[in-house]
Amino acid sequence: MDRREFLKVATLSSLTYLFPWGRGWAFSNGKDDADSQKLIVIFLRGAADGLNVVAPYGDAIYHQLRPTIALPGPGLQDGVIDLDGYFGLHPALAAMMPFWRNKTLAFVHASGSPDSTRSHFDAQDYMESGVPGLKTLSSGWLNRLVSQLPSKRSPVQAISLGPVLPRIFAGLASVATVPPNITTQLMAIDRPAVAESFKELYQGLNNDLGKAFAEGISAHHEINEVLSSADDNPPPGPMNREEIMANRGAPTPRKYNAFGQQLAGLFRKDPSIQIAFLDFGGWDTHVNQGAATGQLANHLTPLAQGLADLVSGLGPLYKKTSIIVMSEFGRTAHENGNGGTDHGHGNVMWLLGGQLSGGKVYGRWAGLSTNALHEARDLPTTTDFRAVLCQILIDQLGVSKPALAKIFPDFRPPGNPFLQT
Amino acid sequence: MRACVLTMFFLFQMALPSGARPVEDSARIAHLLNRITFGMRPGDIQYVQSIGINKFIGMQLNPASIPESPVLKSQLSNYPALLRDPVDLFREFKAIKNDTGQGNSGIHSADPGKDSVQRIGEYFHGIGQQYVEARLARAIESPRQLQEIMTDFWFNHFNVSINKDLDHIWVGPYERQAIRPYALGRFRDLLGATCHHPAMLFYLDNWQNTAPGSKAARGRFTGLNENYARELMELHTLGVDGGYTQKDVIELARILTGLGLPLPQASRNQVAYGTAYCFNPNRHDFTDKVLLGQVIHGSGEKEIEEALDLLSRAPATAHHISYQLAQYFVADNPPKKLVDRLASTFQKTDGDIKVVLSVLFASPEFWDDQYDGAKYKSPLRYVVSSIRAADLQPHDLQPLVAFLRMQGQPVYGCLTPDGYKNTQEAWLNPDSVMRRINFATATGTGKLPGANANPPNYLSLAGTVNGGILSPHTQEVIAKAPPQLKCPLLLGSPEFMHY
């Protein structure tokens, strides 16, 4: 299918979607689901400061550009955790170090969008649509990925945590939205008389609302069934809590609480779940960002704990899971007049996964001298985020090249970003 | 010119004796009420029929001509915070903060840090919830519906999040002082008011925006902060494709240096557009700037007015605002001809919102029945229209507040400056449909917490939901349903999910 054709199909209204209502879902259960690869995408909205997440402590310019918010080197008070002798990890992310050490955690630095917009809304839009610079494609790349997976016809093959379906999941493939605290809930629709009448009311409604109704009922029943089933394999306990205590009891943003354990639990209980998406806000640190402690650290600590819980909770599924953490752009290399940073360009992507070649900081790093910076102020983007995503999809999820072209139209992967250092 | 013709048209209509006018089509009226109010109440269609569509539109465009509701007045009297002044609230906040020993070494309490955080949290919550409930009460109860619809529109356009510290106590005065009075007035006034209000100056950090090296540059006031300047152009005026550059963002940030929060000593503050603020020339950049190709001489505070004039008059702004209005009132994908017509009116009238809306409501696109029922209700519209259609008067609004939070649209709670969207794409998803059916069932069976204990009157509801215009299939299913499910089915119908 050529690109014009693809765009035509992708933007067609789903009036053409024929939902097989009345025949029920045919779940495939058992072996092939247990073997299927999983993908979890986590979006940090607001432009997380990558230069302080994976800090180039080995570059003197880093400390010059950020007199009050640069992280000191390893071994120094409030210093980074050394990664490779040049880069160091923000100390608030200590909970993730076991995965660096067992080589299932990697980073791609100076990565991001080729489009240099510094508008949060546009940049998030481009990173979720997967076609930077183009505003006319209404679907998101993660939805297009779901369309390319072998169909399991499970209503929870793709799940989105949070009440509102994000741009990245917009499109023709059906996605179940799950409330962020993933618990069973009894609703009116669980009463047979209510369900019967409403199903009849929405019968034959062949538009977006009709589709959402049908998927809502299926997903709701499925998730309730899964969560109320007997707990044969309780997930292993959470990792070391000392890292949270070290933050001196700073309030955990409520949204971060327990996401790791809960999401892992869901994946383990229902093998038909393959793709999950969640997002966190609060990263737009224009003022008083802090260094080892402060605003940024307060968000990083519970995120790291959650990721650690997620990985340990997945247990044997971790081998088949890829976790990607991304943000719409990075922040200025220099700090501003308010102890914070402004909108930048290149950022760092975080990758976790059982099959990853981890324990490395990938990406083409050119240093922080003025000529190396984008517009003399920001980290440049030397690796397109789509190159990273494509490689994960090829290596970990076994997506074919033709399928990739449908997920990221107008993009030719320039080569394996994991073969560079 | 067009505005003149329209005014004549309205006057002409009003001059006719009421008996001489043909009864207007109830489907037409239902569509109008769907779009310019938060939803029909029983009797609304008959009321509009009795005075005529044009007179009704004319009154709604002039809210002062509509007496406020005594029921609403009484409800609002439960929220004294609504009348508080931001400077006063700020003083009160500081007193609480200092009183609980924050920053001291905790002589009186084992954990002073935690204690003061809790007290401040309680204070914020106590004030903030008054604003939240008042906003819902107004949307449900006010006869000045278009004013509430436009207050909601402009609040989202100039969004401030209640969640950001001091904005917990400032969003109420922000709406009262900088939004509602200008909602049907001049865009330039809205721009000026929001630009000078402490709620906005705090939310987008301009209160810290300082010329580096200026006289009062020290501590947290050391340098430029571009945050507000960027959103002022990207979101509030020109729009993201409005043709400004990164350099323009910096120039505008320099123009805005020194514009900050009002001080606790009220006598040291200035007042403009009805709001108190403090412009500190010792933090201001007095050099000349070039904004969108125009020179703005470094004269001081006057530069800000010049910049706002320039931005509000830009053709890109007229187009941006017109697009958003057309999307809000007509369709998620508004017809280009309509947007262009509104933009042209906006420019010719120097941003007169009332005239732009008159043109909108008189446009063939607004009345084109391909757009009937084509908009999908946001959670706010869904909840408020349900309460109105069922003719309920909740004595406790917290269950509605909680429902909106679960649907992802907490009142005043949009974290990002772009505000809540009003498109189907933003709000339609499987889980939220299930929750609306939950809500419809509770409301339809008289089990909505905080509202009346009895189910709504079925006949009245059936005549009100979408003006009584339901598809044959919906009517058939409801006719067959057990009596206690008829109201839930009406409130949970596809017709009622749209407007």
Side-chain angles (χ1 to χ4, degrees):
Chain A
M1 195 194 280
D2 77 3
R3 180 166 173 267
R4 215 173 298 134
E5 271 292 300
F6 169 80
L7 286 176
K8 254 200 324 206
V9 170
T11 54
L12 259 181
S13 120
S14 45
L15 275 168
T16 57
Y17 178 93
L18 291 173
F19 180 70
W21 185 251
R23 275 180 268 143
W25 289 105
F27 300 137
S28 90
N29 45 20
K31 285 209 222 150
D32 50 335
D33 283 333
D35 284 339
S36 71
Q37 301 293 319
K38 318 285 185 189
L39 176 67
I40 300 174
V41 176
I42 299 177
F43 206 105
L44 306 182
R45 297 194 188 278
D49 185 26
L51 277 173
N52 268 18
V53 169
V54 176
Y57 75 84
D59 188 342
I61 304 181
Y62 165 70
H63 301 278
Q64 286 160 21
L65 291 175
R66 297 178 163 207
T68 68
I69 65 170
L71 294 163
L76 298 174
Q77 164 132 38
D78 289 334
V80 295
I81 305 170
D82 188 31
L83 290 176
D84 62 4
Y86 179 83
F87 287 110
L89 193 64
H90 193 296
L93 296 174
M96 294 177 67
M97 281 310 289
F99 313 117
W100 178 263
R101 289 192 283 267
N102 75 10
K103 301 206 188 307
T104 60
L105 167 64
F107 296 99
V108 183
H109 225 316
S111 62
S113 175
D115 189 290
S116 56
T117 179
R118 291 194 189 91
S119 150
H120 288 302
F121 321 106
D122 274 358
Q124 287 177 22
D125 197 63
Y126 295 156
M127 217 168 246
E128 293 184 73
S129 68
V131 282
L134 188 69
K135 287 190 184 172
T136 52
L137 185 54
S138 61
S139 61
W141 68 265
L142 206 53
N143 190 289
R144 297 194 295 273
L145 168 62
V146 177
S147 294
Q148 293 303 319
L149 296 173
S151 170
K152 303 263 194 291
R153 302 186 73 208
S154 157
V156 294
Q157 182 182 28
I159 63 175
S160 181
L161 261 60
V164 179
L165 200 70
R167 178 79 172 80
I168 206 174
F169 259 142
L172 299 176
S174 75
V175 178
T177 51
V178 176
N181 63 351
I182 320 174
T183 50
T184 54
Q185 42 215 329
L186 281 181
M187 289 191 176
I189 207 77
D190 291 306
R191 282 185 258 152
V194 176
E196 199 182 304
S197 283
F198 272 99
K199 280 184 195 174
E200 231 197 304
L201 187 60
Y202 279 79
Q203 173 97 33
L205 196 64
N206 263 345
N207 59 14
D208 293 327
L209 176 59
K211 195 174 138 194
F213 173 86
E215 289 161 15
I217 288 202
S218 295
H220 175 73
H221 287 324
E222 170 73 2
I223 287 175
N224 272 355
E225 232 176 79
V226 159
L227 290 175
S228 61
S229 66
D231 216 286
D232 298 327
N233 305 304
M239 300 271 292
N240 190 345
R241 287 281 175 202
E242 273 153 28
E243 288 84 9
I244 290 192
M245 288 305 147
N247 207 33
R248 298 206 194 103
T252 306
R254 206 184 314 151
K255 227 194 149 185
Y256 297 61
N257 258 345
F259 85 85
Q261 296 170 37
Q262 289 174 337
L263 188 56
L266 212 53
F267 269 97
R268 295 201 51 171
K269 285 173 189 168
D270 190 337
S272 74
I273 301 176
Q274 260 198 286
I275 315 253
F277 174 84
L278 52 161
D279 56 8
F280 297 109
W283 300 94
D284 197 22
T285 49
H286 284 277
V287 177
N288 243 349
Q289 177 174 312
T293 57
Q295 239 194 99
L296 178 62
N298 287 345
H299 285 280
L300 289 175
T301 306
L303 177 59
Q305 190 56 58
L307 288 170
D309 289 346
L310 175 59
V311 170
S312 68
L314 283 170
L317 287 184
Y318 182 49
K319 269 208 299 304
K320 308 186 215 296
T321 306
S322 303
I323 302 168
I324 303 175
V325 180
M326 54 200 292
S327 194
E328 67 265 31
F329 42 72
R331 306 189 74 84
T332 47
H334 63 272
E335 66 182 68
N336 64 22
N338 297 139
T341 45
D342 294 316
H343 299 177
H345 191 38
N347 204 336
V348 64
M349 285 172 81
W350 323 7
L351 309 168
L352 281 159
Q355 307 275 41
L356 205 58
S357 211
K360 283 211 187 87
V361 178
Y362 295 95
R364 282 203 205 94
W365 183 261
L368 297 174
S369 64
T370 315
N371 1 6
L373 292 178
H374 168 75
E375 291 181 12
R377 57 177 263 169
D378 310 325
L379 201 57
T381 295
T382 52
T383 302
D384 193 307
F385 74 98
R386 293 169 294 176
V388 179
L389 296 176
C390 282
Q391 205 62 48
I392 304 264
L393 294 186
I394 294 171
D395 292 342
Q396 318 292 342
L397 271 87
V399 177
S400 70
K401 287 249 168 80
L404 267 184
K406 291 186 184 148
I407 299 169
F408 293 108
D410 214 27
F411 179 69
R412 215 169 287 127
N416 189 337
F418 300 109
L419 293 180
Q420 307 144 4
T421 35
Chain B
M1 181 58 211
R2 206 171 259 142
C4 280
V5 171
L6 275 174
T7 316
M8 296 294 285
F9 181 60
F10 290 161
L11 288 172
F12 178 67
Q13 286 290 1
M14 282 160 66
L16 284 175
S18 54
R21 196 183 347 99
V23 172
E24 279 150 329
D25 179 37
S26 60
R28 213 169 142 81
I29 295 174
H31 172 71
L32 176 69
L33 291 170
N34 269 337
R35 294 298 170 92
I36 78 170
T37 76
F38 274 106
M40 281 163 273
R41 285 177 132 160
D44 277 357
I45 294 190
Q46 294 83 332
Y47 170 70
V48 177
Q49 273 172 339
S50 73
I51 64 169
I53 285 180
N54 292 328
K55 173 141 191 221
F56 178 72
I57 293 177
M59 286 174 70
Q60 289 292 324
L61 283 170
N62 294 287
S65 71
I66 306 170
E68 195 51 282
S69 140
V71 169
L72 179 59
K73 268 180 99 167
S74 147
Q75 287 172 347
L76 295 178
S77 68
N78 291 323
Y79 307 121
L82 289 177
L83 301 171
R84 300 286 302 279
D85 176 73
V87 175
D88 209 38
L89 288 162
F90 191 28
R91 250 187 249 123
E92 193 172 72
F93 160 73
K94 285 189 101 120
I96 291 178
K97 188 171 151 184
N98 295 332
D99 190 41
T100 53
Q102 194 174 50
N104 297 344
S105 59
I107 298 165
H108 300 292
S109 135
D111 190 358
K114 191 171 156 213
D115 193 39
S116 85
V117 165
Q118 193 173 340
R119 291 234 207 129
I120 291 174
E122 281 166 10
Y123 172 65
F124 279 169
H125 184 82
I127 302 265
Q129 283 307 297
Q130 294 186 46
Y131 302 146
V132 165
E133 291 190 17
R135 169 66 101 83
L136 284 178
R138 283 194 144 109
I140 292 169
E141 204 58 54
S142 176
R144 300 172 178 171
Q145 281 287 296
L146 183 59
Q147 182 176 62
E148 289 312 305
I149 289 276
M150 290 310 292
T151 298
D152 188 54
F153 176 84
W154 289 120
F155 193 99
N156 279 317
H157 184 82
F158 292 103
N159 188 60
V160 168
S161 171
I162 196 175
N163 298 296
K164 186 171 176 176
D165 305 320
L166 286 170
D167 285 320
H168 278 92
I169 56 178
W170 279 346
V171 289
Y174 177 64
E175 184 173 284
R176 173 173 60 90
Q177 297 173 316
I179 306 283
R180 188 172 285 105
Y182 305 109
L184 288 165
R186 291 184 61 237
F187 179 75
R188 176 59 179 85
D189 291 337
L190 260 174
L191 197 58
T194 54
C195 179
H196 289 79
H197 202 281
M200 176 61 76
L201 293 170
F202 181 76
Y203 176 59
L204 289 180
D205 305 321
N206 202 71
W207 67 288
Q208 299 191 27
N209 185 20
T210 303
S214 54
K215 258 187 252 165
R218 67 176 148 275
R220 52 170 28 140
F221 303 96
T222 317
L224 277 191
N225 188 301
E226 322 174 343
N227 216 356
Y228 179 54
R230 170 181 307 283
E231 312 303 6
L232 183 48
M233 289 199 286
E234 179 176 330
L235 299 175
H236 300 170
T237 55
L238 310 173
V240 72
D241 293 322
Y244 60 91
T245 62
Q246 174 60 28
K247 184 163 188 299
D248 288 317
V249 173
I250 294 185
E251 294 294 90
L252 184 55
R254 290 167 58 211
I255 289 169
L256 292 164
T257 44
L259 181 62
L261 306 176
L263 300 163
Q265 311 96 296
S267 56
R268 296 187 43 199
N269 294 323
Q270 294 139 279
V271 174
Y273 306 95
T275 178
Y277 66 99
C278 182
F279 176 81
N280 188 343
N282 292 330
R283 288 192 204 127
H284 185 72
D285 175 335
F286 279 92
T287 59
D288 288 351
K289 293 94 178 168
V290 177
L291 181 65
L292 304 175
Q294 295 267 59
V295 173
I296 294 191
H297 293 295
S299 58
E301 208 185 329
K302 207 160 64 73
E303 300 166 42
I304 300 174
E305 299 307 309
E306 284 175 44
L308 295 182
D309 284 341
L310 182 60
L311 291 172
S312 68
R313 292 196 173 126
T317 299
H319 187 268
H320 182 212
I321 305 294
S322 298
Y323 182 92
Q324 290 186 328
L325 286 172
Q327 185 180 69
Y328 194 61
F329 283 108
V330 179
D332 288 359
N333 230 331
K336 183 177 184 307
K337 267 176 107 172
L338 175 64
V339 176
D340 289 345
R341 190 181 315 128
L342 298 179
S344 156
T345 308
F346 189 102
Q347 286 221 270
K348 290 202 190 108
T349 62
D350 203 15
D352 187 329
I353 297 156
K354 193 181 300 188
V355 179
V356 172
L357 288 180
S358 316
V359 170
L360 207 171
F361 300 144
S363 292
E365 293 88 350
F366 180 75
W367 296 104
D368 189 336
D369 54 27
Q370 72 172 293
Y371 300 121
D372 264 7
K375 294 268 301 175
Y376 181 74
K377 286 179 183 169
S378 68
L380 177 67
R381 274 196 121 117
Y382 180 70
V383 161
V384 176
S385 64
S386 301
I387 302 294
R388 285 173 65 83
D391 209 11
L392 297 175
Q393 278 179 356
H395 53 85
D396 180 6
L397 291 166
Q398 282 300 309
L400 302 183
V401 172
F403 179 79
L404 286 173
R405 201 181 304 123
M406 283 219 296
Q407 288 257 304
Q409 197 182 23
V411 181
Y412 299 129
C414 185
L415 294 171
T416 50
D418 57 341
Y420 290 127
K421 309 253 177 299
N422 59 86
T423 55
Q424 171 169 299
E425 199 176 43
W427 299 113
L428 177 58
N429 70 69
D431 186 61
S432 83
V433 175
M434 293 299 106
R435 290 183 188 284
R436 289 186 188 197
I437 287 174
N438 227 27
F439 181 86
T441 306
T443 308
T445 53
K447 296 216 175 64
L448 181 68
N452 306 355
N454 298 315
N457 178 301
Y458 165 67
L459 284 176
S460 163
L461 190 64
T464 308
V465 164
N466 203 33
I469 301 162
L470 304 168
S471 72
H473 176 73
T474 297
Q475 291 179 47
E476 198 188 306
V477 172
I478 293 178
K480 287 181 356 200
Q484 72 275 18
L485 284 184
K486 291 186 196 288
C487 286
L489 287 168
L490 278 169
L491 292 169
S493 64
E495 287 90 337
F496 200 60
M497 297 283 178
H498 291 97
Y499 68 108

